[in-house]
Amino acid sequence: MAPVSAPAPVNVAARARAVGAEIAARHAEAVDRDGRFPVEAFDALREERLLGVMVPAELGGGGASLFDVAAACHALARGCAATGMIYAMHQIQVACLVNHGTNGWHRDLMARIAADQLLLGSATTEKETGGDIRNSVCAVTTDPEAEGGRFTLAKNASVISYGDQSDVILVTARRNPDAPSSDQVLAVVTKDDYRLEKTSLWDAMGMRGTCSDGYRLEAAGVIDQILPLPYADLSAQTMLPVTHILWSSTWLGIAADAVSRARAFVRSEAKRKPGTTPASAVRLAEATAKLQQMKAVILTAIRQYELACGSPEQLTGLSFATAMGTLKVTTSELVREIVEAAIRTCGLAGYRNDTPYSLGRHLRDAHSAALMIGNDRIMSHISTQLLVQRDGLGPFE
């Protein structure tokens, strides 16, 4: 497939900001209320050709950096948290393809993502493993004698976010039926390759528009569709750090919009009583300070990832894994604290659902952050790592 031209990546954040403010925000209440996919926002993202911005320019994409995409997640989430989160999850899968898809099949698919603006999802959890993404019951069964070599797999996925809308799904599975549960690979399957049978519905407190239903997935394809790097290494080098950075950027968008509403409320109170500083301004200052802290933590993580890129030893090191894990835990707690401070700033105006300062949706969405790869699970891993991890020698070790 011939690559098509794409807009310059320098405009990624600005284009995402326009979609977030003009379209995602307009439909956010309906997406949340009805628990539906934010179709209007993703139609606009496709028109802006923002789904393929991470694909290399030589394959028709924008060649955008992780910073560009993080800024886009932040901008979209300010308008609609579900839109920002879906965009983040999509780009996490694109990053895995860009960094580890080395053969012709994967490169052809990346060209299609850029040309046709395909939406990528993932199936990494299984009901049998209780959400532990580093272990699988599902296994790849290969038939090397078939023309080109073929595989099949069947997965009882507890969650496949926006599965009905996905054009491509990246699926974790054991390398073969005899492999231990932790010896996983990542298979890339397109709509033509798989069949989904819905097993549960997503009716959650927040992030309702992600449509994170459960499915039984059955897929078949050619062996070239399986990424060659073991999933443990692929996760350490790309999926884990990119996930935590882009999720954190999405939560930053939620927090930023909450603070923006709180600031508007305080200004309205100040106008109502000229010459006085509203008592709630102290809470606004607290929320703003935490927002700045959250932003600094994310920017530091992006810089740390950029410095480690190109060095598998650094990316798979314990200190890097600890840094990325603590990033997720820190930002997922901060987003809740910031939204709560914004609600206390606005008082009943933030608590109610019928004011311009309403923050109920923000609070419900913020509470999902600590549960997406549970913080307790992450901290348990970190506590084990710290027992064998040497002290760092520099600020980014």
Side-chain angles (χ1 to χ4, degrees):
M1 178 179 295
V4 297
S5 60
V10 293
N11 295 322
V12 169
R15 283 156 38 218
R17 195 176 303 117
V19 173
E22 298 171 13
I23 298 171
R26 187 190 316 155
H27 298 280
E29 294 295 336
V31 167
D32 177 70
R33 181 185 64 245
D34 302 334
R36 67 168 178 84
F37 183 79
V39 60
E40 299 88 355
F42 274 84
D43 284 347
L45 288 168
R46 285 188 167 97
E47 289 178 10
E48 289 290 336
R49 307 198 65 77
L50 285 168
L51 297 189
V53 292
M54 287 194 84
V55 172
E58 64 266 24
L59 297 176
S65 68
L66 184 59
F67 177 85
D68 293 325
V69 174
C73 292
H74 168 266
L76 292 170
R78 290 195 68 155
C80 171
T83 298
M85 183 55 69
I86 294 168
Y87 187 76
M89 291 190 283
H90 161 80
Q91 296 294 359
I92 293 161
Q93 309 314 309
V94 176
C96 290
L97 271 174
V98 169
N99 290 351
H100 307 289
T102 56
N103 65 35
W105 192 95
H106 296 131
R107 290 179 63 82
D108 287 345
L109 178 60
M110 283 185 269
R112 284 183 57 200
I113 292 167
D116 301 334
Q117 294 295 289
L118 303 181
L119 181 63
L120 276 60
S122 69
T124 56
T125 60
E126 298 176 29
K127 289 185 178 179
E128 297 89 342
T129 61
D132 182 359
I133 63 174
R134 294 299 299 272
N135 286 278
S136 290
V137 173
C138 164
V140 170
T141 300
T142 59
D143 182 2
E145 295 183 1
E147 184 178 355
R150 296 191 62 80
F151 75 90
T152 59
L153 61 83
K155 190 180 189 79
N156 192 15
S158 54
V159 169
I160 301 180
S161 295
Y162 55 95
D164 290 351
Q165 292 78 24
S166 295
D167 300 302
V168 179
I169 298 178
L170 277 65
V171 188
T172 52
R174 284 184 293 147
R175 184 175 301 278
N176 58 62
D178 297 322
S181 62
S182 60
D183 184 9
Q184 298 167 290
V185 293
L186 193 63
V188 185
V189 294
T190 69
K191 265 194 185 305
D192 294 335
D193 302 320
Y194 64 79
R195 182 178 70 85
L196 294 177
E197 177 187 349
K198 197 166 294 188
T199 57
S200 64
L201 296 175
W202 179 248
D203 185 6
M205 182 170 69
M207 287 292 179
R208 293 172 53 77
T210 61
C211 303
S212 300
D213 301 328
Y215 296 87
R216 177 172 173 79
L217 179 150
E218 296 180 355
V222 297
I223 291 175
D224 277 354
Q225 293 174 231
I226 300 172
L227 292 165
L229 193 68
Y231 178 69
D233 294 331
L234 184 152
S235 177
Q237 294 180 30
T238 299
M239 186 170 282
L240 184 146
V242 173
T243 292
H244 292 336
I245 288 169
L246 296 188
W247 282 1
S248 296
S249 301
T250 300
W251 300 329
L252 181 67
I254 298 172
D257 191 62
V259 170
S260 179
R261 293 185 184 213
R263 185 181 297 113
F265 174 81
V266 171
R267 285 174 174 168
S268 70
E269 289 292 290
K271 288 179 181 178
R272 197 164 60 86
K273 299 177 181 179
T276 65
T277 300
S280 57
V282 174
R283 289 291 182 186
L284 175 61
E286 173 192 336
T288 302
K290 289 187 175 182
L291 183 68
Q292 293 301 317
Q293 177 189 353
M294 189 175 179
K295 184 185 297 185
V297 168
I298 295 169
L299 290 173
T300 298
I302 293 173
R303 177 59 174 158
Q304 192 168 2
Y305 180 70
E306 290 174 342
L307 289 172
C309 277
S311 172
E313 294 79 12
Q314 289 189 47
L315 291 170
T316 56
L318 289 179
S319 61
F320 183 76
T322 298
M324 293 299 113
T326 53
L327 164 70
K328 189 272 175 184
V329 172
T330 299
T331 56
S332 65
E333 296 293 347
L334 279 172
V335 63
R336 176 186 52 77
E337 293 173 11
I338 292 166
V339 174
E340 288 176 349
I343 291 174
R344 295 183 69 175
T345 301
C346 298
L348 284 175
Y351 187 73
R352 291 175 57 134
N353 291 322
D354 57 353
T355 79
Y357 315 109
S358 176
L359 290 163
R361 173 166 52 85
H362 298 68
L363 183 62
R364 289 185 289 105
D365 289 338
H367 272 284
S368 72
L371 308 176
M372 295 176 62
I373 309 180
N375 283 358
D376 288 348
R377 187 191 297 272
I378 292 175
M379 294 304 287
S380 177
H381 287 318
I382 290 174
S383 65
T384 301
Q385 292 167 355
L386 291 175
L387 295 176
V388 296
Q389 183 178 329
R390 68 181 179 87
D391 290 337
L393 301 177
F396 298 111
E397 292 186 48

